[in-house]
Amino acid sequence: MSAGLLVLCFFLLPETLFDRSKAPAQEIYPTGTSTPTEKEVAASKSHETRDRPSRPTSTITFAESLRFPRPRGNFLHALITPYRSLLFPGTIMVMLHYAGLVGLIAAITTVAPLILAGSPYNWGENIGLINAGGLIGAAFALVYTYALTDWATKRAAKRQQHGFAEPEERLPLMIPGLFMATVGSLVFGFSAQNPSSQAWVGLEFGTGMVAFGLMQVPSVGLNYLIEAYGEWASSCFVMVVVFRAIISFAWIFFVGTWTLGAGFAEPFGIFAMLMGIFALTVVPVWLYGKRLRIATAGWVGS
């Protein structure tokens, strides 16, 4: 299915007509100007006319929109640019968090049906109910993030004389989610290692705890990248997604055969150890994030 969707997207998804190089880097009107002057309005109209495509997009047919556009700018430079964002500590932090969490939930959903289909559970066609714990955990994460993220940022801003909060002020909110996911891996692993008629409760709790972290931590981390790195955030996102897929794939590639030979406690105990190590990266970025941003600002160039 994934291969088929990739082929369909490759041939049937229209290419973007947005030219990033022509997009204005900032507002034309000066900051603080409430009403534009006639000169500024004229400049704005001139700018819009100059950047408008010579052919209206409404007249481009669907077949024409599928054609590959001519690469804008230096293609090799554009290809390498996202990798330069790996020099930012924030990118490494979010990448490891997201990869570990996705790997954990993928590993759980890979082995859980095998566990619940066998004795003493014998859930049969109801093995999908393992996702009930994940759904509840995600719901709690939604409430937690919605209630505290903006509140914590505004509270931190009020403590500053200039009225602004540093991006790092939001990072402590990730700690409960990282803790829950790490412990959730242990709960799931030990519950799976010691099957009983009531052990399914531990499996559900473990899944819910990991789902809580998966829903909560990236929502804070990705917003941190946007706020901390500005125009580099898109490159940071590319690297986060790429290495999230690589690391999480490595976790689930071996989990099936690993659990058959060593049981469930060892693999998920090691996953918890790795998740704990990944979680610790939030501490230096939280405490020294601003200094790290200043120190690494010149590493990537313009």
Side-chain angles (χ1 to χ4, degrees), residues 2 27 35 38 52 63 84 91 103 117 171 238-239 260 266 286:
S2 298
E27 293 292 337
T35 305
E38 293 182 2
R52 187 180 297 125
R84 295 159 64 192
T91 306
L171 294 183
V238 172
M239 288 297 97
L260 290 176
E266 178 181 309
W286 171 33

Side-chain angles (χ1 to χ4, degrees), residues 170-187:
R170 67 176 69 241
L171 294 183
L173 295 175
M174 304 168 70
I175 296 176
L178 293 168
F179 176 79
M180 291 275 285
T182 303
V183 176
S185 179
L186 294 173
V187 171

Side-chain angles (χ1 to χ4, degrees), residues 81-82 84-85 88 225 229-237 297 300-302:
T81 295
R84 295 159 64 192
S85 68
F88 297 138
L225 292 180
Y229 296 113
E231 62 181 12
W232 277 93
S234 58
S235 295
C236 297
F237 277 30
V300 296
S302 57

Side-chain angles (χ1 to χ4, degrees), residues 71-147:
R72 306 182 183 107
N74 189 315
F75 177 75
L76 183 60
H77 179 270
L79 192 65
I80 296 174
T81 295
Y83 290 91
R84 295 159 64 192
S85 68
L86 291 175
L87 296 172
F88 297 138
T91 306
I92 302 297
M93 177 193 69
V94 177
M95 178 184 71
L96 292 176
H97 290 173
Y98 208 174
L101 291 165
V102 171
L104 263 180
I105 202 69
I108 287 175
T109 55
T110 298
V111 302
L114 302 177
I115 298 171
L116 295 174
S119 178
Y121 310 103
N122 299 314
W123 281 19
E125 61 184 12
N126 296 318
I127 56 176
L129 290 176
I130 187 64
N131 294 317
L135 182 63
I136 295 172
F140 275 106
L142 172 65
V143 175
Y144 172 86
T145 307
Y146 176 80

Side-chain angles (χ1 to χ4, degrees), residues 1-15 62 66:
M1 181 181 293
S2 298
L5 290 174
L6 177 62
V7 172
L8 290 175
C9 290
F10 189 81
F11 289 104
L12 298 181
L13 184 66
E15 295 294 323
F62 179 73
L66 297 178

